[in-house]
Amino acid sequence: MVDTLGVAVIGFGWMGRVHTQAYARVPHHYPQLALRPELITVAEEVPGRAEEAAARFGFARATRDWRDVAADPSIRAVSITAPNFLHREIGVAMAEAGKHIWIEKPVGLTADDARAVADAVEKAGVRSAVGFNYRNAPAVEAARALIAAGDIGTVTHARFRLFSDYAAHPESALTWRYERERGGSGVLGDLASHGADLARFLLGDIASLTADTAIFLPERARPAGATAGHSRAAGGELGPVENEDYVNCLLRFASGARGVLEACRVSVGEQNNYGFEVHGTKGAVFWDFRRMNELGLSRGTAYQDQPVSTVYVGPGDGEFGAFQPGAANAMGYDDLKVVEAHRFLRSVAEDTAYGATLADAVHSATVLDAMVRSAGSGAWVTVDASS
C-alpha cells in the first residue's frame, strides 16, 4: 500500500524549483517507494513568487510566511531552500513541529547552526536529508567503492576542486550572499562545503588543515529591489564584499593521506569545474562533474607509465539503473536531486537514514569553521571529528 506524504517547500528560488521537480519525478524513477509526495504549500516572502510557483507546479496553497508551514498538520515533510541565514531558525522550528526536513547545505552559517538543527531533529525523532548532491553521482559512488576495495592501493594524496564563475562579473549585485551576517563564509559555505563532504565521503575524517582565503572583488553594487539567483546591479551604490571569494586548504586525513581543497566563485573561464583526483600506492581515480558519468581510472601493477582508462558508469553503480538502462547514457544535475529526494522519502518511510543527513552537515560545517580559524591565524588547526 502506498502512503501519501504532504510536503512543503520553503524558499522558491532556483533550488526550491529543483526540489519541487525532484518530488514530482520520484514516483517515475522509484515506483516501488512506499511514499508518494503531495505538494501542499510553497512559502516565499518575495511578493507573487509563491503564487506563481503554486500555479505552475501544483501546490495546494501559497504563503509568504514560512511559519504557516510549521502550523499545518497536513504537512509532514519540508524542503528548506531559503537563504543560509534562515536555515537555523526554520530548521529548528520545523523539527520542533514534527516535520521531517530536507535542507540545503551549508545548514546555517556556522557549525553551531548546523548542530542546533541536528540536535532539534534528533530530539524530535524526525528524519533529515542534506543537499550534498555531488556524492549522489553514480560515478562518485563507484569511486568510493573502488577506493574502499583497495583497487588503487592505499590512498596517499587527493585534490578536490570547485571552481565557478557565477560571481565573476564585476556588476554582480551585492546580495545577502556577500554579507558575513547573512551569507556566512562566502565560497566556503557555498562550494567548499561540497568539497569537505566529498573528501570525507571518499577518504574518511579530516584530522587537521591549514587554509588561506581571499576576496578578489572587494566591492559590488547594491540591488534596487528583490533579486533572484546571481543578478546584476550596474550603476548601483557600491558596498563592501565581506566574505570569501576564494579558499585554498591543505588537508591531513585521519588515515594519514594528504589532500588539497580549493574553491573559488570568481574564476573567469570556469563553469562548474568541480571534481577530484585521488591517488593511491597502486593507481588513481579521477572525476569531473562536467563529465559526470565517467571516471578516469588507473590500476594495475605497472606503477610507472601505467595508463589511465575512461570508465562509463552504468546500472549497478549507485542509482544509475533508476534512470538509464545501460552505460554511457547520460544523467544530469537534476537527476542527482531526484536521488536525494528518494533517499529522503525512503528514510521517512523506513525510519532509517539513507544518504547525507544532518550529521554529515555538522561534519562539513566543522571543517569550514576550522578553515576560517586557520585563515585568520595562519596556523594548522585540528578538526574535531567527534563534533
Side-chain angles (χ1 to χ4, degrees):
M1 182 176 178
V2 176
D3 188 19
T4 298
L5 184 77
V7 301
V9 176
I10 298 177
F12 209 83
W14 170 67
M15 189 54 71
R17 176 178 59 78
V18 172
H19 276 229
T20 301
Q21 292 174 161
Y23 284 127
R25 291 178 58 195
V26 163
H28 302 290
H29 295 281
Y30 300 95
Q32 75 282 8
L33 183 66
L35 278 180
R36 290 292 182 270
E38 180 183 1
L39 299 176
I40 302 295
T41 300
V42 55
E44 169 58 63
E45 65 177 8
V46 175
R49 191 178 289 175
E51 291 77 10
E52 180 183 355
R56 180 178 177 187
F57 294 100
F59 289 93
R61 293 186 284 278
T63 180
R64 291 184 62 184
D65 189 348
W66 60 262
R67 293 166 186 82
D68 293 340
V69 172
D72 189 341
S74 70
I75 296 170
R76 295 168 54 198
V78 180
S79 279
I80 301 172
T81 58
N84 299 350
F85 62 92
L86 296 172
H87 284 188
R88 178 172 181 163
E89 181 183 8
I90 297 174
V92 170
M94 293 302 148
E96 290 178 344
K99 318 293 187 188
H100 306 285
I101 63 173
W102 177 13
I103 187 169
E104 278 304 313
K105 49 79 206 131
V107 189
L109 306 182
T110 65
D112 284 344
D113 286 348
R115 201 171 289 114
V117 181
D119 289 346
V121 163
E122 182 177 6
K123 184 177 180 180
V126 296
R127 288 293 164 187
S128 69
V130 177
F132 289 127
N133 37 260
Y134 300 111
R135 63 154 63 188
N136 299 328
V140 173
E141 296 194 272
R144 186 183 193 225
L146 288 166
I147 293 166
D151 282 27
I152 64 169
T154 300
V155 173
T156 54
H157 61 100
R159 176 175 177 249
F160 299 85
R161 69 185 187 281
L162 298 106
F163 299 142
S164 182
D165 63 357
Y166 69 78
H169 201 289
E171 294 179 358
S172 295
L174 186 69
T175 65
W176 60 268
R177 294 180 182 277
Y178 304 103
E179 299 174 8
R180 181 72 61 184
E181 184 176 348
R182 298 195 296 165
S185 53
V187 75
L188 276 71
D190 192 17
L191 295 180
S193 58
H194 284 297
D197 181 68
L198 281 173
R200 179 169 168 263
F201 183 67
L202 293 172
L203 305 180
D205 287 337
I206 297 167
S208 60
L209 57 82
T210 183
D212 181 41
T213 63
I215 298 173
F216 295 133
L217 294 177
E219 290 185 321
R220 297 179 185 272
R222 301 185 189 279
T227 60
H230 305 289
S231 304
R232 305 272 176 86
E237 177 190 358
L238 294 179
V241 172
E242 299 174 349
N243 55 24
E244 296 82 351
D245 287 329
Y246 171 84
V247 60
N248 183 36
C249 187
L250 298 179
L251 309 171
R252 291 174 179 164
F253 290 88
S255 66
R258 298 299 195 260
V260 176
L261 193 162
E262 191 176 13
C264 186
R265 64 187 180 187
V266 296
S267 296
V268 175
E270 301 281 13
Q271 295 86 40
N272 300 325
N273 182 358
Y274 309 151
F276 56 76
E277 303 98 42
V278 179
H279 297 266
T281 53
K282 297 194 299 182
V285 61
F286 310 89
W287 181 70
D288 186 327
F289 169 66
R290 298 165 300 180
R291 303 176 71 89
M292 193 180 83
N293 305 289
E294 302 176 14
L295 285 176
L297 181 61
S298 177
R299 57 182 171 180
T301 57
Y303 299 100
Q304 187 176 3
D305 298 327
Q306 184 164 285
V308 177
S309 300
T310 297
V311 176
Y312 298 102
V313 295
D317 295 314
E319 301 287 329
F320 188 91
F323 297 85
Q324 299 293 351
N329 287 290
M331 288 176 61
Y333 175 87
D334 283 14
D335 295 331
L336 303 184
K337 302 307 278 191
V338 177
V339 173
E340 204 166 273
H342 169 249
R343 290 175 174 172
F344 173 48
L345 296 170
R346 186 181 176 194
S347 296
V348 173
E350 300 180 16
D351 197 26
T352 301
Y354 295 99
T357 67
L358 276 160
D360 298 301
V362 171
H363 275 278
S364 176
T366 301
V367 171
L368 301 184
D369 279 7
M371 289 182 188
V372 172
R373 295 198 307 274
S374 175
S377 68
W380 281 88
V381 171
T382 299
V383 177
D384 184 2
S386 65
S387 298

